[in-house]
Amino acid sequence: MPLPILDHRDAILAAIGNDRRLILTSPTGSGKSTQVPQYIIDRQPEFGGVLVLQPRRLAARMLATRVAEERDQQPGGEIGFITRFEHAVGAYTRITYVTDGILLRRLQDDPLLEGIGTIIFDEFHERSVNADLGLAMIRHLQEKRTDLRLIVMSATLDTRILIDYLPGSNVLAAEGRQYPVDISYLPGDNKEAPWDKAIRALRQLLATPAQGDILIFMPGAHEIRRTIELCRNLKSAERLVCLPLYSNLPPEQQAAAMQPVDGRKIVVATNIAETSLTIDGVRHVIDSGLARINRYDAARGFNMLQLEPTSKFSADQRAGRAGRQAPGTCIRLWSRHQQDSRPPSTEPEIRRVDLAEPLLQLRTFGFRSLDKLPLLETPTPTAVQIAEQELRQIGAIDRQTGELTQRGRALVRYPAHPRLACLMLEAGRRGVLADAAMIAAILSEAPVYATRKGGFQRVIDFAGKTERDGLASDFFPLLDALEHAHHVRFDRQSCEDAGIYASPARQVWRTRDYFLAIARREGLQSHQSGCAADLLKSLLLAFPEHLAKRRDKGTLLCDLSDGRRAELARESTLRQAELLVAGECREISGPGTESRVLLTLVSEVPREWLDELFPDEWEIREEPVWDIIRKVVDLHVTIRCLGLVLENSRSPEVSEEIAAAMLADLVRKEHLQLRGWDKDVKAWIERVRWLADIMPDHGLITYDETEVDLIVHEICAGERSYAGIRTKPCLPYVKNALTWKAQQFVEEMAPERIMLPSGRRMQIDYVVGQTPRGRARIQDLYGLDETPSIAGGRVKLLIEIQAPNMRAVQITDDLRGFWANLYPELRKQLSKRYPKHEWR
C-alpha cells in the first residue's frame, strides 16, 4: 500500500526548493518521517546532508533502520542515527536521525553545521525544550547561512504560531488516510491498577470476533511488564504473542515488536508508539490514559518523568493508531466525563522543566539571556531566575556579571544536568569518577529501589555496611547493591534479593557507562584511587543548596539553607552526623497536614569541609534581640555557610548604643511602658506646645515625633533591660530637650499653677488652640477681683468656678463681672445649701 505522503512529493520539493522554510502537517503514519528526507537527497542532492530531529531515542534509531532497509542498506552508511547511547554514522552518511538534544551539542562543535543543507524538526507538536531551543538556534543560523533549509513537520500543529515565528514560510497540509475508529470507555475504580484495567478491556476485546493486532498504551516499563505478565496468563482460543516496546529495551526486542509474528500480536508500549512509529497490523487500541511527563522535580533539583493523565490531543493520537490501515476500535480506560475534563494538549516543556541546562548551553552560543534569542514560547521569569541561581551556585556563571565562567565551559561539555556535570567534573579531579558517575546515573534515572516504606532498608540489609573510611552515606550500600546487580548480569531474583529492581539497575549502569565515556573524552581519569571523602566532597560541591543541619540527634528534624524545616528519612543510614547533604529533597504532604521536606540519599558532611570548599560563603551576623522572658537586650550571633544557619548564640555583649536603640524602639511601639512618662510629663509637653503656638517667634520645640524619639533614646541610654528604664523619672529628660533659658521662659509665660488669695495654688490646664483653664472653689477666689492672665498678659485664663461640692457653677474669663452680676444671687442659693462655709 503506497504511503499517503507520496501524493504530495512534488509539492514538498517545490516548496523547499523555492523557499528556505516549510511548515508541513500530515497525519501520523502518512510516511513523512521516512520519505521526506529521502525526497530531498534523491531529487535535490545539491542541498547537502539532512538532519532529522526526533523527540525520542527509539524513534531516531528505528526510523533510521527503516529508511536504510528501504534503500537496501544498514544504518551507518547513507542513512545513520545518533542518540544519547548509540550512534551509527559514517563518512558517507547523508541522512542522520538524531534526538533533538543532539542538535544543540553539535552546534557547540560546529556552529555553522558545515555539510548540512536541511534541518527537519519531526513531531514538533511534542514541543520539547530542546526542540524549541533548536528551532530558535536554526532560525538565528539562517541569518548567516542563506543556503540552510528548515522543515518543521507535525501530525497536528497550530501552524499560525509557526507562521508568525518563521516569516516567509511555505505551509503545506498533506492529508493522509484515516479509517474510522470506534471509541468506547471502560471506567473503573480509581484505585485499580492500570494493568488490571487493561486486562479487563483485553478480555472484553478477545471475546468479540474482531480480528487484528492490539496495541496497549501504558505509562512506563514497570506497568508494561505487569501488563505482559497478565496477558501471558490469559486463556484464549488463539495464540497471543505479547511484546513490550519502550525506549530502554535492547534494540533486538524493540525491533521484534515492529515485526509480524505467528499469531495475534499484542504490543504493550509507552507513548513512543503514539506518533513516532507505525506498527503494521494494529486494529485495536487499549489506552490507559496515562503517560510520564517530563517536569522539574524539586526533590532532585532537575527534570524527572512524572505520572500524569494524557491530554485530549494525546488520546486522539493514540486512538488513531487503530485506524491507520483499516477500521478499528479504541477502548479508553476512563470515563467520558474524565475525557471532557482533560487539558486540550500537553503544556510545552519549556514551561514546565528546569532550564539550567539549556540556559548554560545558550551562554556558550553567546546569548546571556533569552531576550537575545527569541523563542516560540517564553518560559516563566521564575523558572529562568531559579535556573540562573542554580548555575551561580555551582560556579557555571559569574555571581556578579552573569558571564559564563571557565568552569561553566567545562560543565557544558557533559550532556547532563549541570549539577551532575559538576559532580563528575569534581570527582574526576579527585580520582573518584567511577562512583560519581554511578551516583549521577542514580539521580538522573528512575529509582532502582522501592521508595515505599522499608524499601531502602532491604538495600542496607543486603550491603551490610553503610560507611567507607569512617564516613556515612546512603549511597554506599546502594553502590554495593548495584555492583552486585552488574555481577549477576541483572538477574531479576538476585537483584530483588539485593533490594533493587533489575531493569532500572541495568539502565543506571548504562547511563553510568555513558557518563564515563564522556568524562574520558574530556580527559578525566576514571580509576578509583580516591577516598570516600573525595566522593562526598564532590557531591557537596554539586548540590550545595541541599546542605542540611540536624536540629538534634534525638529527632529526625533538620534545617535547610532556605529556612525550611526538613525531616531525615527514617531509613537513612545517617544517625550521628550533624551536617549532611541530600541527594534528594522531596516535598511531601498528607491529608490535613502541612507539606514537609523529606531528605533521602543523604551523605555526611564534616564541618571542616565547609571551610575548605566554601571559604567565601561564610557569613557572621550580629544583631540585637529582645528576650521577651528576661526582658533584656541580648546580642544574637548567627553563623551561616551557604545560607544555612550553623550556630545561633546569645550574649550580653551588645553595645550600649545598640541596646538603647532597641529599648527605645520597643517603647515607641508601646511594647514597653515607661512609668515615669506620667501626667506631669504630658502636662509639661502641653504647656510648651501651647506657648509655641501663641508665641512662635521664640522658636520653642513642639515635641514632635522625632524630638520625642530622641528623648526616649536618652532615657534608654546606658541600659539593656526593661528594669533599668521602667521606673526612671522622665520629666527631667523631657524638660532638658529645651535650654535652661527656654525652660525659664515656659515657667514664666505658661506657669503650671498660680497663687490664689486663699494661699492655694490653682493648676492650669493647657491645650493647643484653646484658652488655658483653671479650676477653684468660690472661697479660694475671694479677694481676686480681676481675671489672672498669662503669657505676659496676652491671654486671660478661663476660670471654672466651683461650689463646695467641687461642681462647676460658672465658667468665665471675667471675674469682675461675675462678682458684680452673678455672685449675689448665687451666694443666696449656695449659703442655704452649705451654711458651714464662709460666704462673703
Side-chain angles (χ1 to χ4, degrees):
M1 182 184 298
L3 292 168
I5 198 68
L6 180 61
D7 297 336
H8 306 278
R9 178 179 56 189
D10 293 340
I12 293 170
L13 291 172
I16 197 63
N18 296 330
D19 297 288
R20 297 191 301 151
R21 294 172 176 173
L22 171 63
I23 301 170
L24 174 62
T25 61
S26 181
T28 299
S30 62
K32 61 183 180 299
S33 301
T34 59
Q35 303 308 305
V36 172
Q38 295 186 73
Y39 295 163
I40 295 173
I41 66 168
D42 289 342
R43 295 291 188 91
Q44 296 170 323
E46 70 277 7
F47 285 178
V50 179
L51 274 184
V52 187
L53 275 67
Q54 290 292 327
R56 296 180 178 86
R57 300 193 302 266
L58 175 59
R61 179 169 52 77
M62 299 197 75
L63 287 171
T65 302
R66 173 76 64 85
V67 174
E69 289 174 351
E70 290 179 4
R71 301 174 77 88
D72 296 323
Q73 300 175 17
Q74 292 294 322
E78 189 182 32
I79 313 301
F81 69 91
I82 303 174
T83 69
R84 185 184 190 189
F85 297 116
E86 301 174 279
H87 68 277
V89 292
Y92 302 102
T93 299
R94 300 176 64 196
I95 298 175
T96 308
Y97 287 84
V98 301
T99 47
D100 45 26
I102 298 295
L103 174 62
L104 295 175
R105 297 286 169 186
R106 184 159 181 170
L107 283 167
Q108 292 174 12
D109 298 326
D110 183 9
L112 294 179
L113 295 180
E114 298 287 353
I116 300 299
T118 305
I119 306 290
I120 299 177
F121 286 81
D122 195 14
E123 307 294 358
F124 188 74
H125 62 269
E126 297 203 15
R127 296 294 305 280
S128 71
V129 65
N130 284 328
D132 275 18
L133 292 176
L135 183 63
M137 290 298 299
I138 296 305
R139 190 183 82 156
H140 178 73
L141 180 57
Q142 282 188 315
E143 298 174 4
K144 301 177 182 179
R145 280 195 54 189
T146 57
D147 64 323
L148 183 63
R149 285 166 170 77
L150 168 64
I151 302 177
V152 181
M153 302 196 307
S154 173
T156 302
L157 184 68
D158 185 354
T159 58
R160 293 171 297 178
I161 61 172
L162 276 176
I163 292 171
D164 293 338
Y165 185 69
L166 299 173
S169 297
N170 271 313
V171 181
L172 181 61
E175 299 298 332
R177 291 186 295 269
Q178 177 67 42
Y179 293 92
V181 176
D182 179 27
I183 298 176
S184 60
Y185 294 85
L186 187 65
D189 188 341
N190 290 334
K191 296 181 180 180
E192 187 179 10
W195 46 85
D196 290 330
K197 290 183 181 180
I199 294 303
R200 282 200 295 116
L202 182 59
R203 285 197 179 99
Q204 176 179 304
L205 180 61
L206 294 175
T208 69
Q211 298 299 307
D213 293 339
I214 302 166
L215 174 60
I216 302 176
F217 283 100
M218 283 288 155
H222 173 66
E223 293 84 0
I224 288 174
R225 287 193 298 270
R226 296 300 302 271
T227 304
I228 287 179
E229 288 175 1
L230 294 175
C231 284
R232 290 172 176 167
N233 292 331
L234 286 176
K235 294 181 179 180
S236 175
E238 52 189 327
R239 182 172 179 265
L240 302 178
V241 180
C242 304
L243 299 169
L245 182 61
Y246 55 93
S247 60
N248 291 334
L249 271 179
E252 60 275 11
Q253 293 186 40
Q254 293 173 342
M258 308 296 292
Q259 303 299 321
V261 298
D262 183 15
R264 192 174 192 181
K265 183 167 63 175
I266 300 176
V267 177
V268 188
T270 61
N271 53 6
I272 183 64
E274 186 176 302
T275 57
S276 301
L277 302 172
T278 296
I279 305 174
D280 291 334
V282 169
R283 301 290 184 271
H284 310 282
V285 167
I286 297 174
D287 186 4
S288 68
L290 299 171
R292 284 191 163 82
I293 305 299
N294 202 24
R295 290 190 185 276
Y296 176 69
D297 185 352
R300 301 186 176 204
F302 35 84
N303 305 324
M304 293 296 293
L305 295 173
Q306 298 183 12
L307 187 64
E308 298 180 9
T310 55
S311 66
K312 292 178 180 177
F313 171 81
S314 180
D316 291 341
Q317 290 297 304
R318 293 181 175 188
R321 309 310 281 172
R324 287 306 311 136
Q325 297 166 323
T329 67
C330 174
I331 303 176
R332 291 174 173 170
L333 305 182
W334 62 93
S335 67
R336 291 182 182 273
H337 173 73
Q338 289 171 322
Q339 171 68 9
D340 293 338
S341 63
R342 294 190 173 212
S345 60
T346 303
E347 186 180 28
E349 259 195 354
I350 203 166
R351 303 282 295 182
R352 54 183 164 86
V353 299
D354 174 46
L355 300 176
E357 186 175 359
L359 285 185
L360 182 59
Q361 290 177 324
L362 287 181
R363 274 179 163 77
T364 66
F365 300 130
F367 300 103
R368 278 198 53 190
S369 69
L370 295 180
D371 296 337
K372 305 299 182 183
L373 182 70
L375 296 167
L376 183 60
E377 187 97 20
T378 304
T380 64
T382 300
V384 174
Q385 182 180 359
I386 290 173
E388 290 184 341
Q389 179 61 27
E390 286 184 74
L391 296 176
R392 286 186 172 90
Q393 285 177 332
I394 60 176
I397 61 177
D398 187 88
R399 289 180 178 270
Q400 278 71 44
T401 66
E403 296 288 346
L404 186 67
T405 63
Q406 193 63 35
R407 180 183 181 85
R409 295 185 186 280
L411 295 177
V412 81
R413 304 299 301 171
Y414 292 81
H417 189 282
R419 293 198 181 280
L420 301 182
C422 177
L423 169 60
M424 289 182 286
L425 184 65
E426 292 294 338
R429 292 171 178 171
R430 290 174 165 79
V432 287
L433 181 58
D435 275 348
M438 184 70 84
I439 290 176
I442 291 170
L443 293 174
S444 61
E445 298 296 340
V448 298
Y449 63 92
T451 56
R452 61 183 180 272
K453 185 177 180 181
F456 190 65
Q457 187 61 47
R458 293 181 59 197
V459 178
I460 297 173
D461 293 341
F462 171 81
K465 58 179 182 179
T466 59
E467 291 188 358
R468 291 185 183 179
D469 302 332
L471 293 170
S473 172
D474 292 338
F475 282 110
F476 293 154
L478 199 53
L479 292 174
D480 291 340
L482 284 165
E483 187 67 38
H484 170 76
H486 186 262
H487 178 72
V488 298
R489 298 182 179 181
F490 306 104
D491 174 73
R492 182 173 177 180
Q493 186 58 52
S494 297
C495 287
E496 288 184 359
D497 292 341
I500 59 177
Y501 300 126
S503 182
R506 179 185 289 107
Q507 181 59 33
V508 164
W509 268 93
R510 188 184 188 191
T511 303
R512 174 256 193 196
D513 291 343
Y514 173 69
F515 285 159
L516 282 180
I518 299 297
R520 294 190 191 104
R521 187 192 68 190
E522 294 302 312
L524 296 179
Q525 299 297 319
S526 61
H527 59 274
Q528 288 293 110
S529 62
C531 60
D534 293 319
L535 180 62
L536 300 189
K537 286 178 183 178
S538 301
L539 189 64
L540 177 59
L541 286 165
F543 293 90
E545 84 290 356
H546 285 188
L547 181 66
K549 180 178 183 294
R550 293 279 295 276
R551 290 192 173 183
D552 56 70
K553 294 181 180 179
T555 69
L556 299 174
L557 297 180
C558 304
D559 293 313
L560 296 173
S561 58
D562 59 5
R564 289 184 299 170
R565 188 181 72 174
E567 185 176 328
L568 181 65
R570 293 185 180 277
E571 55 197 18
S572 172
T573 63
L574 276 73
R575 284 292 181 266
Q576 302 302 317
E578 178 188 11
L579 294 176
L580 45 90
V581 59
E584 295 180 346
C585 299
R586 188 176 304 280
E587 189 166 348
I588 58 176
S589 60
T593 62
E594 294 183 0
S595 63
R596 57 194 176 96
V597 178
L598 186 67
L599 306 181
T600 59
L601 296 179
V602 175
S603 302
E604 181 179 356
V605 176
R607 180 161 172 167
E608 58 268 21
W609 288 4
L610 301 182
D611 292 310
E612 174 191 347
L613 303 177
F614 306 102
D616 298 327
E617 296 292 339
W618 288 84
E619 176 190 7
I620 300 177
R621 178 179 297 178
E622 297 181 347
E623 56 185 353
V625 292
W626 177 246
D627 188 322
I628 195 171
I629 304 299
R630 295 164 48 233
K631 290 185 169 50
V632 297
V633 179
D634 282 333
L635 185 66
H636 185 195
V637 181
T638 305
I639 300 178
R640 289 182 172 89
C641 184
L642 295 169
L644 177 66
V645 176
L646 299 179
E647 289 186 19
N648 263 325
S649 61
R650 290 190 179 188
S651 76
E653 301 301 322
V654 62
S655 71
E656 291 184 354
E657 182 178 354
I658 292 176
M662 174 162 278
L663 286 170
D665 185 61
L666 291 168
V667 171
R668 283 193 298 270
K669 293 177 180 177
E670 298 184 356
H671 296 314
L672 299 178
Q673 302 296 324
L674 294 175
R675 296 181 183 178
W677 199 277
D678 53 17
K679 60 183 181 60
D680 293 337
V681 170
K682 296 174 183 177
W684 170 264
I685 291 175
E686 288 300 320
R687 290 165 63 192
V688 175
R689 287 175 175 171
W690 178 85
L691 188 58
D693 182 57
I694 68 166
M695 304 180 73
D697 294 342
H698 287 267
L700 294 174
I701 66 172
T702 58
Y703 292 99
D704 61 18
E705 185 176 347
T706 300
E707 291 158 346
V708 169
D709 286 349
L710 289 173
I711 294 168
V712 171
H713 193 280
E714 289 182 9
I715 295 171
C716 297
E719 306 291 347
R720 59 177 292 266
S721 68
Y722 182 40
I725 63 172
R726 181 174 51 195
T727 58
K728 183 180 285 190
C730 297
L731 185 58
Y733 294 94
V734 175
K735 285 187 173 182
N736 287 338
L738 282 73
T739 64
W740 173 252
K741 183 177 181 180
Q743 291 181 45
Q744 296 304 306
F745 180 73
V746 172
E747 296 287 5
E748 179 183 355
M749 295 292 109
E752 179 185 11
R753 303 171 188 273
I754 63 172
M755 183 67 73
L756 298 177
S758 65
R760 295 182 182 274
R761 297 170 61 84
M762 180 177 66
Q763 181 176 324
I764 304 172
D765 297 330
Y766 295 85
V767 178
V768 175
Q770 299 180 18
T771 302
R773 173 183 292 202
R775 298 175 179 81
R777 291 181 299 176
I778 293 176
Q779 284 78 9
D780 292 328
L781 296 173
Y782 287 160
L784 188 63
D785 297 331
E786 298 291 340
T787 304
S789 61
I790 57 176
R794 296 185 186 186
V795 178
K796 286 186 176 182
L797 292 177
L798 193 63
I799 305 296
E800 180 182 302
I801 304 173
Q802 299 176 335
N805 65 352
M806 306 302 288
R807 292 186 177 180
V809 294
Q810 184 63 39
I811 299 174
T812 182
D813 62 355
D814 180 13
L815 277 178
R816 182 173 293 279
F818 170 76
W819 295 124
N821 302 318
L822 298 176
Y823 179 68
E825 182 62 29
L826 188 62
R827 180 180 58 188
K828 291 179 182 179
Q829 299 174 8
L830 294 176
S831 62
K832 292 179 181 179
R833 192 179 305 171
Y834 304 102
K836 294 184 179 181
H837 287 74
E838 177 186 8
W839 300 100
R840 297 182 185 177

